[in-house]
Amino acid sequence: KLFDFAGTTLVGDLMMAVIAYNCFAGVAYYALGETYKYESYEAFQEALSIQQKSLQPGDKDLVDTLNNICHILHTEQKRD
C-alpha cells in the first residue's frame, strides 16, 4: 500500500479527489443549462458509483449526490 504522511492511503485520497471533481463537474454542467443536463447527470452518476464503494450508507456526501441526481431527473420529468 502507498501511504501519505498522515497515514491515509493515497488511493483513498485519489478516490475522494475524483468524487470532488465529478461533483464539481456535475454542478458546472447543470449551471450551463439544458444542453448539458446529460453530462451533469453522468458526472453525478460517476461520483455516486465511487461513493457507494467508499462511504457508509447515509453519509452526507452520498445523500447530497443522490439529491442532485434526483433533482436533475425531476426537472427532466417536469420538462416532458
Side-chain angles (χ1 to χ4, degrees):
K1 286 185 176 180
L2 297 174
F3 290 92
D4 66 11
F5 64 92
T8 59
T9 66
L10 292 177
V11 173
D13 292 344
L14 180 60
M15 286 177 65
M16 294 309 290
V18 170
I19 292 168
Y21 171 80
N22 280 307
C23 287
F24 175 76
V27 170
Y29 280 128
Y30 187 80
L32 290 172
E34 289 296 319
T35 306
Y36 295 96
K37 285 270 175 86
Y38 181 76
E39 288 83 354
S40 178
Y41 174 79
E42 287 291 308
F44 282 123
Q45 280 290 102
E46 180 66 26
L48 179 63
S49 174
I50 297 167
Q51 287 173 325
Q52 287 175 322
K53 295 172 188 167
S54 60
L55 300 175
Q56 296 295 318
D59 185 278
K60 182 189 178 317
D61 291 332
L62 182 65
V63 171
D64 288 344
T65 301
L66 283 168
N67 282 334
N68 288 329
I69 291 170
C70 289
H71 179 74
I72 291 168
L73 294 174
H74 181 73
T75 58
E76 279 299 303
Q77 180 184 18
K78 286 173 63 174
R79 194 182 73 152
D80 292 340

